[in-house]
Amino acid sequence: MSVAFTCWPEALARRYRDAGYWRGQPLTDILDAHDPREADRDAIVCAERRFSYDQLIRLSRRLAASLVAAGLRPGQTVLVQMPNCAEFYLLFFALLRCGAVPVNALFSHNRRELLAFAEQIAPALLVLTDDHPAMRGRQGTALVDELRRYASGEARLLHFGDRALPVEKVLTDFRWEDGEPLDESECLNGFSPNPPDEVAFFQLSGGSTGLPKLIPRTHDDYGYSVRASAELCRLNVDTVFLCALPAPHNYSLSSPGTLGILHAGGVVVMARDPGPATCFELIDRHAVTMAALVPPALSLWLEAADSVRPPSLGSLSLLQVGGARLSPALAEQVPTRLGCRLQQVFGMAEGLVNYTRLDDDRWYVENTQGRPLSPADEIRVRDAEGRDVPPGEVGTLWARGPYTFRGYYRAEAHNAVAFDVEGFYCSGDLVRRTDSGYLVVVGREKDQINRGGEKIDALEIEDLLLGHPAIRQAALVAMPDEVLGERSCAFLVADARLRAVDVRRFLRREGVADFKLPDRVEFIDDLPRTAVGKIDKAALRRRICSAAAC
Ligand code: AMP
Ligand code: DBH
């Protein structure tokens, strides 16, 4: 049984195979292809624990065997939520080995997001941790019951303790919720990863249509983006990468991220958060050579690098910044204040990733968001009528290629508008393309707020707000912010007694992730409308901009 998804047309698939982009290898080869004679090198450093390549391979195999022995079957889906720790990757590889297909929720996701994912995939296994506030005590039990309602059959629960279970415990003391220890004697006989041209796992979309959407990624397509990214970033066995952004995010997983480092034989150092207090110490202690950040974290790093006496960042040679627009003013400070090279990364969980190259002129590195990873990436910049615009002019970004997906999971209606007839995906970003093919992100067409790299679907929050009995109209818009780039402002037409704190409390009770709570609430008599009667969000953005005097 495999997970249904929209695949590439045969002619394109053949082209990608013939060109060597798709190699027919499972993602587990990222570990398994390493020479066993060199497998005792460190792969992951997580707090005081170190895992060699050999350990990662053996532990993920044993975990897979346990999961299979406990009844997990190929093609079944799994909902996972874990903090940044080595067990996340052990589990990821273990699930791939069994042919099970995970959705890896971000740690910031809350009840509402988890339920939306479970509803879409009907998971056979839930992997949750008490580390997460929504999972503590009685509310955690209630949430598991709710999640189970969407599960296929009797969903199993793998529940990590109040700190992520140490790996020894995962493997020796690992038990299902019913308390029965697993029979680990059975091995993986008869089970193997899904075929490489089928779904390996689901990535998550930032969304702009009110519903969190899932992105099927195949072994072939994801594996290619990992390998090509590792090569572009010149990773090798000496690379020591700091994983400070959420581990399952497409950026920190594959651009080139942890999977890229593991492919190249380097070391991944896990950080619990991207703040300078945590990260500088880890860079110093483990001689980190490369890190990936979003722009707000970069601002904090720049500030901290100047204050007191920071630990040495001397080992750091490459700093990637992406996920949201980086201002040229910040970009130019990276080499002088942090003493390392900058690389801009403009990507999306749907596929296409753009990078500035390591030997690019300074101007490109500071002023553009890079160019596509692959020579087979096809880019169109189009006007509202769908006509290509010439270089230098702003248009909407469309993409197609060997690692850009062909359809959201079970979202026929949305897919019909998100793709054109040739299979190009509309990212909703407004970009300008230079003569040499570099992209500059100048804005966004999609109804989304990019809060320092965390994407908020305006419609999702507006729909929730309209569920409050005292709210009659609601519009969520972005307002500029010095540190985060953007924050969210909710304009509400509501009963006079309603206060901003009630609004936030209400949304919290609905179980949305904290980063989606409006940073500001403005009460208004009526929402402005455009000529055709739509809510005039541009007018609201102008209004909040002048109110905040930006
Ligand atoms: P998602 O679909 O949630 O993976 O988010 C991808 C979106 O993040 C892109 O379509 C852009 O809107 C935004 N994004 C990612 N990287 C950058 C960047 N370097 N500069 C500007 N926007 C970015
Ligand atoms: O924001 C993103 O989704 C993103 C940013 C940089 C991404 O998916 C990526 C690189 O792969």
Side-chain angles (χ1 to χ4, degrees):
M1 262 280 289
S2 53
V3 167
F5 75 112
T6 320
C7 40
W8 283 258
E10 193 41 45
L12 271 183
R14 197 170 327 113
R15 196 194 301 171
Y16 298 150
R17 279 194 199 100
D18 290 349
Y21 302 134
W22 292 0
R23 295 196 176 161
Q25 294 166 332
L27 286 174
T28 44
D29 273 10
I30 288 173
L31 288 184
D32 298 348
H34 286 287
D35 185 339
R37 283 166 305 181
E38 294 179 3
D40 59 349
R41 282 198 322 266
D42 279 347
I44 300 184
V45 177
C46 181
E48 300 311 315
R49 297 175 300 146
R50 288 172 175 271
F51 297 87
S52 67
Y53 278 86
D54 185 48
Q55 280 174 310
L56 274 192
I57 293 170
R58 282 188 302 108
L59 294 175
S60 62
R61 280 198 181 133
R62 271 187 69 182
L63 184 52
S66 304
L67 293 166
V68 168
L72 192 65
R73 291 290 169 262
Q76 289 189 326
T77 57
V78 182
L79 178 61
V80 178
Q81 186 176 45
M82 302 259 272
N84 274 22
C85 61
E87 283 75 10
F88 169 74
Y89 305 104
L90 276 177
L91 181 71
F92 182 65
F93 283 109
L95 292 171
L96 294 177
R97 290 189 193 290
C98 317
V101 179
V103 166
N104 301 309
L106 301 182
F107 201 67
S108 54
H109 285 140
N110 210 330
R111 187 176 134 260
R112 188 181 147 79
E113 290 83 15
L114 295 179
L115 286 169
F117 300 144
E119 183 174 6
Q120 292 182 69
I121 61 166
L125 170 66
L126 305 168
V127 184
L128 302 165
T129 157
D130 268 355
D131 246 12
H132 197 281
M135 283 309 300
R136 297 208 185 113
R138 282 232 310 279
Q139 63 171 4
T141 314
L143 175 52
V144 170
D145 288 343
E146 278 187 284
L147 289 168
R148 279 233 166 89
R149 255 184 261 141
Y150 293 120
S152 66
E154 279 283 297
R156 308 281 205 149
L157 173 69
L158 175 52
H159 199 171
F160 286 77
D162 58 351
R163 272 162 292 118
L165 262 180
V167 72
E168 311 85 62
K169 272 206 158 301
V170 175
L171 296 161
T172 54
D173 219 22
F174 169 63
R175 54 189 67 213
W176 300 109
E177 185 203 18
D178 56 17
E180 283 301 307
L182 292 173
D183 172 10
E184 288 179 24
S185 58
E186 269 186 52
C187 65
L188 282 166
N189 276 345
F191 293 94
S192 59
N194 288 330
D197 57 352
E198 291 189 3
V199 183
F201 73 110
F202 290 105
Q203 259 300 356
L204 306 173
S205 152
S208 57
T209 58
L211 282 174
K213 288 186 301 301
L214 299 174
I215 302 160
R217 301 294 306 251
T218 64
H219 294 269
D220 269 335
D221 91 76
Y222 213 66
Y224 169 54
S225 92
V226 166
R227 283 195 316 273
S229 298
E231 190 179 324
L232 186 149
C233 294
R234 299 182 196 158
L235 305 187
N236 59 41
V237 292
D238 297 322
T239 307
V240 182
F241 175 68
L242 187 73
C243 180
L245 296 176
H249 196 278
N250 198 55
Y251 178 20
S252 42
L253 193 61
S254 70
S255 298
T258 300
L259 296 186
I261 308 298
L262 295 179
H263 164 77
V267 182
V268 178
V269 176
M270 300 306 295
R272 280 264 165 160
D273 68 78
T278 305
C279 292
F280 285 9
E281 201 263 322
L282 289 170
I283 293 172
D284 192 14
R285 187 156 143 222
H286 300 292
V288 166
T289 62
M290 172 182 178
L293 292 181
V294 287
L298 172 63
S299 303
L300 298 177
W301 280 36
L302 288 169
E303 232 170 75
D306 280 355
S307 63
V308 278
R309 285 181 56 79
S312 165
L313 301 181
S315 56
L316 193 66
S317 66
L318 180 64
L319 185 63
Q320 299 182 294
V321 181
R325 205 183 115 81
L326 174 64
S327 76
L330 275 191
E332 71 181 28
Q333 296 175 33
V334 170
T336 46
R337 288 171 69 187
L338 296 175
C340 60
R341 203 178 344 204
L342 169 70
Q343 177 179 54
Q344 293 213 38
V345 193
F346 162 38
M348 52 204 73
E350 287 81 356
L352 177 71
V353 188
N354 303 274
Y355 295 91
T356 56
R357 302 313 201 249
L358 301 193
D359 46 12
D360 272 344
D361 281 350
R362 206 174 138 177
W363 186 89
Y364 286 98
V365 176
E366 290 171 2
N367 294 282
T368 79
Q369 278 64 60
R371 63 184 166 85
L373 166 64
S374 170
D377 282 321
E378 297 173 83
I379 299 295
R380 301 279 184 273
V381 182
R382 294 176 177 156
D383 67 16
E385 275 74 51
R387 285 180 304 238
D388 290 339
V389 303
E393 279 185 28
V394 173
T396 308
L397 175 63
W398 297 72
R400 183 171 83 166
Y403 62 99
T404 296
F405 82 139
R406 304 290 296 213
Y408 291 104
Y409 185 57
R410 294 191 177 158
E412 293 312 317
H414 181 62
N415 287 338
V417 292
F419 292 83
D420 72 7
V421 289
E422 292 177 297
F424 280 82
Y425 162 67
C426 178
S427 85
D429 295 299
L430 294 173
V431 300
R432 200 153 36 77
R433 189 161 39 165
T434 68
D435 286 328
S436 46
Y438 282 70
L439 299 176
V440 179
V441 181
V442 300
R444 196 172 46 233
E445 205 176 45
K446 54 190 167 190
D447 202 0
Q448 192 180 72
I449 293 126
N450 189 334
R451 192 177 187 275
E454 292 188 298
K455 320 307 188 294
I456 305 169
D457 180 343
L459 199 63
E460 180 190 3
I461 302 304
E462 290 161 4
D463 278 351
L464 278 177
L465 288 167
L466 290 173
H468 189 291
I471 297 176
R472 289 190 297 280
Q473 294 176 47
L476 195 76
V477 297
M479 54 183 187
D481 181 79
E482 186 98 347
V483 177
L484 291 175
E486 295 176 9
R487 283 182 193 261
S488 64
C489 174
F491 281 94
L492 302 178
V493 181
D495 293 353
R497 286 188 313 268
L498 192 72
R499 296 163 307 158
V501 4
D502 304 323
V503 174
R504 292 170 61 85
R505 198 173 294 142
F506 169 75
L507 287 177
R508 218 177 243 127
R509 263 206 312 273
E510 290 291 307
V512 291
D514 272 3
F515 71 86
K516 297 181 184 173
L517 299 176
D519 292 295
R520 180 168 174 153
V521 178
E522 290 282 307
F523 294 98
I524 185 171
D525 290 337
D526 202 4
L527 293 180
R529 302 274 164 178
T530 63
V532 286
K534 288 200 216 170
I535 294 172
D536 188 349
K537 289 207 163 176
L540 290 172
R541 278 191 289 269
R542 282 196 300 275
R543 183 174 166 143
I544 193 61
C545 208
S546 52
C550 45

